[in-house]
Amino acid sequence: MRHFLTLKDFTKNEILEMITLAQQIKAQTKSKNFVPYMEKQTLGMIFEKSSTRTRVSFETGIYQLGGIGLFLSSNDIQLGRGEPMKDTARVISRMVDMVMIRTFEQSNIEEFAKYSKVPVVNGLTDSYHPVQLMTDYLTMLECGIEKPVVAYVGDGNNMTHSWLMLSAKLGFELRVATPKGYECDPQIVQEALNFAKESGANISFGYDPKEAVKGANVVTTDTWVSMGQEDEKEERLKAFEGFIVDSKLMSLTQKDSIFLHCLPAYRGYEVSEEVFEKHANEIFLEAENRLHAQKGIMVWLDRHRED
Ligand code: CP
Ligand code: NVA
C-alpha cells in the first residue's frame, strides 16, 4: 500500500502516471462522464487547519469518483481533545477507504500513516503541500509550459519545499529567492539536491527576487504568513519587504510567462493586485485543477493498494 505524504516517495514515472490519470479523468469529467473509479468508497478528510480549496476539491472529487467524503474537523472529533493520532488512525482507517489529512508537523501524518490500514494523502503540513504541486504541474502543462524555468519568490515554506521536490524529481529548473532568515529547511534542500543529481534539475537559491525571475517562464509565490505563524506576522511583513511579485518584477521574465499562486493570496504583500488580476486565468485554472489532480492521485493510490 502506498501513501501520498511527500513527492520524495515517488519516482518521476509514478508522478507522471498520476498526472496522466488526472488529465484523463479531467477530460471525462468535462464531458460529464463521471466514471465511478472509487465506487462506494469513503474518503475521511481530517482538518487541523482551515481550508477552502482542499476541502471542496477533495469532497467534490471523491463524489465524482462514485464515493463520499467525510469532513472531520479536529474541532469536532476527539483528536482535538487529545486522542492520540495513532488511535485516531486505527479507528478511522477501519471504517473508511482512504484518508486525507491537513495537519501541523509532518511527523503527525507519518504517525497516522504508520498505523493506517488505508492510503493516506497529505492535504498540507508545515513541511509540504504535495497535492498542490501536482496541481501546479498539471496547470503548467495546460498553459503550454514545456520546459519550465520556475522562479519561487518568498518564504522558504511548505510550498517551496514541495516545489523543490517536484523540480528535483522531474528535472526542471527552479530558482528560489527568500529573505535572509526565511530560507528552506536545510535537510529538505539536501534531499532535493540529491534527487536533482539523478534528474539533472538545476536548483539554485538566493536572496534577490530579480536574479531569480530573470528569464523564468513561471513565477510563483505564497503567503508570507502561513497557518500557524500568525504570531510572527509583524516581523514577517517587515522581513519580506521587497519580495512582492509586481509588474516590474514580472517584466524581467520571459515573454508569455505565467504566474501561479496556490491561494489564498494577500494582495499588496506577496503579489500586487495588478499581477494577480493579469494572471487570474492561470491562477483560477490552478485552483480548479486541485479537483482533477487529486482525483488522479486518489485513483492511482487505489490501484496500488497491494504494492
Ligand atoms: N491552496 C490551498 O491549499 O488552499 P486551502 O488552504 O483553501 O485549502
Ligand atoms: N503556506 C501556506 C499555504 C496555504 C495553502 C500555509 O501553510 O498556510
Side-chain angles (χ1 to χ4, degrees):
M1 186 178 67
R2 302 286 295 275
H3 301 293
F4 191 85
L5 305 187
T6 142
L7 293 173
K8 86 182 164 189
D9 303 333
F10 295 90
T11 63
K12 174 175 182 173
N13 269 350
E14 288 172 335
I15 291 171
L16 296 180
E17 273 171 23
M18 289 183 240
I19 293 288
T20 303
L21 257 176
Q23 289 168 323
Q24 286 165 355
I25 299 172
K26 179 171 181 177
Q28 289 164 341
T29 306
K30 290 285 176 191
S31 57
K32 299 271 179 264
N33 176 17
F34 297 101
V35 183
Y37 293 103
M38 294 179 67
E39 195 171 14
K40 295 270 191 299
Q41 293 200 31
T42 302
L43 175 73
M45 308 187 304
I46 300 173
F47 283 90
E48 293 200 273
K49 293 176 176 173
S50 309
S51 167
T52 298
R53 282 142 288 269
T54 306
R55 181 191 172 172
V56 176
S57 55
F58 269 106
E59 196 162 333
T60 306
I62 189 69
Y63 178 69
Q64 291 182 348
L65 293 171
I68 190 166
L70 275 189
F71 173 67
L72 304 164
S73 156
S74 57
N75 294 331
D76 302 326
I77 61 174
Q78 300 286 10
L79 181 67
R81 298 184 67 245
E83 185 167 17
M85 203 48 118
K86 60 183 181 180
D87 293 358
T88 308
R90 283 179 284 192
V91 172
I92 293 181
S93 73
R94 281 173 179 259
M95 299 178 187
V96 305
D97 304 284
M98 201 172 280
V99 174
M100 180 247 100
I101 311 183
R102 169 166 286 196
T103 182
F104 291 88
E105 291 88 16
Q106 183 73 10
S107 56
N108 289 345
I109 194 166
E110 282 165 7
E111 169 96 339
F112 192 103
K114 187 172 160 200
Y115 287 92
S116 173
K117 285 174 163 304
V118 299
V120 178
V121 181
N122 184 347
L124 182 147
T125 62
D126 293 344
S127 303
Y128 295 108
H129 198 1
V131 291
Q132 180 69 55
L133 265 293
M134 295 295 282
T135 305
D136 293 1
Y137 188 62
L138 176 63
T139 310
M140 289 197 285
L141 294 178
E142 290 183 2
C143 290
I145 304 288
E146 274 157 30
K147 201 167 172 284
V149 178
V150 180
Y152 180 98
V153 176
D155 191 16
N157 64 12
N158 45 9
M159 278 299 297
T160 333
H161 295 154
S162 287
W163 272 107
L164 286 176
M165 288 302 165
L166 187 77
S167 144
K169 288 286 178 168
L170 299 190
F172 63 77
E173 183 170 352
L174 175 67
R175 295 101 164 258
V176 178
T178 64
K180 288 208 167 101
Y182 294 90
E183 298 90 347
C184 296
D185 178 327
Q187 200 186 322
I188 294 176
V189 168
Q190 199 45 56
E191 282 176 305
L193 291 179
N194 289 342
F195 290 126
K197 273 188 213 138
E198 284 168 42
S199 70
N202 182 359
I203 302 181
S204 56
F205 300 90
Y207 299 106
D208 183 354
K210 290 195 206 79
E211 276 306 312
V213 303
K214 233 178 253 165
N217 55 12
V218 180
V219 177
T220 186
T221 183
D222 183 20
T223 179
W224 295 341
V225 187
S226 285
M227 289 180 277
Q229 298 174 335
E230 290 76 8
D231 291 350
E232 302 169 27
K233 185 170 174 183
E234 216 169 302
E235 59 191 273
R236 283 180 162 268
L237 297 191
K238 257 192 228 131
F240 282 85
E241 256 171 46
F243 278 75
I244 187 169
V245 178
D246 57 14
S247 299
K248 213 160 137 209
L249 197 66
M250 287 302 286
S251 72
L252 302 174
T253 63
Q254 280 183 34
K255 190 175 153 281
D256 299 330
S257 60
I258 67 167
F259 172 76
L260 297 177
H261 194 307
C262 66
L263 303 177
Y266 299 90
R267 271 88 141 186
Y269 294 97
E270 76 271 13
V271 60
S272 70
E273 173 74 17
E274 196 185 356
V275 167
F276 188 91
E277 289 305 332
K278 180 169 179 222
H279 294 276
N281 283 347
E282 294 128 44
I283 296 168
F284 292 106
L285 173 65
E286 179 188 10
E288 177 194 331
N289 276 339
R290 290 292 300 275
L291 176 64
H292 309 296
Q294 289 160 192
K295 283 190 282 185
I297 295 166
M298 287 192 284
V299 171
W300 192 93
L301 291 174
D302 187 43
R303 290 180 179 173
H304 288 77
R305 281 180 196 273
E306 305 308 321
D307 290 8

